[in-house]
Amino acid sequence: TSEKVKLIYAGSPANKDYLKEIVLGVAFLPEKAQQKIEMHILGADEDQLKNLAKLQVLPTCIKAYGRVPRERVEEIMLEMDFSVLLRPTEERYAKAGFPTKSVEAMSHGVAMLCNISSDLGMYLKDGENAVIVDGHNEQDFSQGIERVLLFSREQIDSIKAKARQLAEKEFDYRNWISTVSGLIGEK
């Protein structure tokens, strides 16, 4: 119900995600666009983000939390519109592993704002249950945010609802119990 679009990144700055590009993508936005968003970063504090992005000052729309207990991450996640994720597309780990961050976000009713890595393209549909960024640099990310800002609150809520439906259909373990039981010979 917020007037601002709320974005979240939860993870470690030393991780495989392109957090520097996310921070710079927000920093490169025009001030008017920055005033329409809140970028919540959990897992890194302000100093870490400034050092990572080589910025003297972070945009005021970036809220850096530092390390946060898992329970608090889930509480904050429930208030968000989009979970952001940028990863390389050609690295072996980005091709092989499915990002669990995306499943966690969608299961909380939070849509993804991301580029396509691993098998995300099999599930995420741009403008339907996610917003897909064309690449993984800061300009691509800025353009993704600007696209999101063109959506009405009703459109954002629809994308979020469809992301949740996707998580329930494809990623809820209860949907796969009989299949897995059949594979291991249980009845």
Side-chain angles (χ1 to χ4, degrees):
T1 59
S2 172
E3 288 183 25
K4 292 189 177 190
V5 174
K6 294 185 176 187
L7 311 170
I8 185 170
Y9 172 86
S12 169
N15 208 340
K16 52 196 165 214
D17 303 334
Y18 283 6
L19 183 55
K20 176 180 99 174
E21 287 77 3
I22 290 169
V23 172
L24 288 173
V26 172
F28 290 165
L29 285 170
E31 189 173 331
K32 190 173 182 177
Q34 288 182 17
Q35 292 171 357
K36 295 177 181 179
I37 68 168
E38 289 180 8
M39 178 74 235
H40 298 260
I41 299 179
L42 290 68
D45 62 30
E46 281 191 37
D47 288 335
Q48 288 173 305
L49 294 176
K50 287 191 283 190
N51 288 335
L52 183 69
K54 296 180 177 37
L55 293 172
Q56 296 294 321
V57 178
L58 289 177
T60 57
C61 63
I62 293 179
K63 314 295 181 205
Y65 291 71
R67 292 187 56 90
V68 178
R70 178 97 182 119
E71 299 79 29
R72 182 69 179 128
V73 172
E74 291 184 1
E75 289 172 9
I76 295 168
M77 181 74 73
L78 291 171
E79 301 172 11
M80 298 296 122
D81 296 310
F82 292 91
S83 178
V84 301
L85 181 64
L86 293 181
R87 285 195 172 163
T89 55
E90 297 305 317
E91 296 290 332
R92 185 174 171 188
Y93 71 85
K95 288 181 179 181
F98 193 87
T100 55
K101 289 177 190 206
S102 59
V103 176
E104 291 170 357
M106 291 184 294
S107 68
H108 284 84
V110 178
M112 294 302 300
L113 170 59
C114 63
N115 67 319
I116 297 296
S117 62
S118 72
D119 291 337
L120 286 173
M122 294 173 57
Y123 301 97
L124 302 183
K125 305 295 179 225
D126 187 43
E128 183 179 322
N129 59 16
V131 174
I132 306 301
V133 176
D134 287 333
H136 50 73
N137 65 37
E138 51 270 18
Q139 291 86 5
D140 296 325
F141 186 61
S142 287
Q143 289 171 356
I145 294 172
E146 288 175 332
R147 282 189 52 222
V148 166
L149 292 175
L150 296 175
F151 293 136
S152 68
R153 174 48 60 185
E154 290 77 23
Q155 289 171 307
I156 291 171
D157 289 343
S158 174
I159 292 170
K160 291 172 60 176
K162 288 177 182 166
R164 170 68 185 185
Q165 291 167 0
L166 172 68
E168 289 172 357
K169 178 181 178 212
E170 299 290 343
F171 302 116
D172 188 331
Y173 75 92
R174 292 170 288 216
N175 296 338
W176 302 100
I177 290 174
S178 62
T179 303
V180 172
S181 294
L183 287 173
I184 59 176
E186 291 183 10
K187 293 186 180 194

